[in-house]
Amino acid sequence: ETGVTQTPRHLVMGMTNKKSLKCEQHLGHNAMYWYKQSAKKPLELMFVYSLEERVENNSVPSRFSPECPNSSHLFLHLHTLQPEDSALYLCASSQELAGIITDTQYFGPGTRLTVL
Amino acid sequence: TQLLEQSPQFLSIQEGENLTVYCNSSSVFSSLQWYRQEPGEGPVLLVTVVTGGEVKKLKRLTFQFGDARKDSSLHITAAQPGDTGLYLCAGDAGGTSYGKLTFGQGTILTVHP
């Protein structure tokens, strides 16, 4: 248990579906992240939220829409995905210090997404 | 764009053998982290190295940060089946990069009994 939980753990969806991934951290951190982990590719940073403001959007297609209602919760809303979006989606949190020091990132277990 | 080249990508060894995983870049990092990831789980931090030339030991694992802070290595002595997993290195550019870690491709280690 790293203090970061993700639901659901597995998700199968069609290309026309709308679904959401949820992440919750119980560590009191002020920064949260979404990563995509595909086979044979390095972990890709998608979004970063610091103090509930999005500070990084790493050229992610608009069919992925993040939401951070408070410092403990992070969502990833999915709409009209493509089969190539199938991957493990990981959430992480950390304690940022004025954006200068990157502290340890604690990862959740991930959501295994399959797009049919 | 900063890149981290991690090698080898796959490593299959017998219990008791030693191994080294390498992480190389042309970029300088303010710190470098090593993670281990098991199937069905997220990466778990093993160590962070910050100072050029730094060596850290964690039981049978030895981590080294290059003098120029562009490369790092992970050495495992007398590997055990419990060491099996995906090992990831990640570099932090520092400054105002808002926690942007650059990850290597990972090394899948299998230790056979």
Side-chain angles (χ1 to χ4, degrees):
Chain A
E1 279 290 330
T2 61
V4 181
T5 58
Q6 289 186 245
T7 54
R9 294 293 305 273
H10 300 272
L11 179 63
V12 179
M13 59 187 289
M15 289 190 284
T16 58
N17 291 158
K18 286 185 182 180
K19 296 286 184 183
S20 296
L21 309 185
K22 179 182 176 182
C23 175
E24 184 173 359
Q25 58 96 0
H26 311 273
L27 301 169
H29 289 161
N30 60 6
M32 297 186 77
Y33 312 77
W34 279 117
Y35 286 89
K36 177 183 179 182
Q37 188 173 36
S38 307
K40 301 180 182 179
K41 291 179 72 174
L43 260 164
E44 301 171 71
L45 178 65
M46 299 175 72
F47 302 103
V48 180
Y49 276 82
S50 179
L51 298 172
E52 299 155 41
E53 280 192 37
R54 190 191 311 179
V55 295
E56 184 70 30
N57 178 344
N58 222 19
S59 302
V60 179
S62 59
R63 56 186 184 268
F64 295 91
S65 175
E67 179 190 0
C68 187
N70 55 63
S71 60
S72 300
H73 293 87
L74 185 65
F75 295 90
L76 187 63
H77 304 299
L78 314 172
H79 178 49
T80 59
L81 295 192
Q82 305 298 312
E84 59 264 30
D85 296 322
S86 298
L88 181 68
Y89 288 85
L90 290 161
C91 171
S93 72
S94 72
Q95 186 65 22
E96 291 299 310
L97 301 175
I100 295 176
I101 300 173
T102 301
D103 208 330
T104 302
Q105 291 188 19
Y106 293 83
F107 285 84
T111 295
R112 174 67 63 186
L113 174 67
T114 304
V115 182
L116 301 177
Chain B
T1 305
Q2 295 179 313
L3 291 174
L4 269 174
E5 296 289 334
Q6 198 171 332
S7 62
Q9 286 191 45
F10 302 94
L11 203 49
S12 181
I13 62 172
Q14 293 297 125
E15 183 175 2
E17 292 183 13
N18 301 332
L19 67 110
T20 302
V21 178
Y22 299 93
C23 189
N24 296 292
S25 176
S26 58
S27 303
V28 175
F29 292 101
S30 63
S31 68
L32 198 137
Q33 303 178 355
W34 284 93
Y35 291 83
R36 179 166 166 258
Q37 185 177 13
E38 296 191 42
E41 300 296 331
V44 176
L45 182 71
L46 295 174
V47 77
T48 300
V49 285
V50 179
T51 307
E54 182 177 3
V55 176
K56 281 191 174 179
K57 291 193 175 184
L58 188 66
K59 296 183 180 178
R60 294 176 293 100
L61 278 61
T62 302
F63 304 86
Q64 186 162 6
F65 202 12
D67 291 339
R69 289 186 286 127
K70 293 182 179 181
D71 56 271
S72 182
S73 64
L74 157 61
H75 182 79
I76 301 179
T77 305
Q80 298 177 1
D83 296 326
T84 294
L86 173 67
Y87 289 82
L88 297 162
C89 63
D92 173 16
T96 56
S97 59
Y98 285 108
K100 286 176 63 177
L101 291 178
T102 299
F103 281 84
Q105 308 97 308
T107 295
I108 298 175
L109 171 65
T110 305
V111 182
H112 302 279

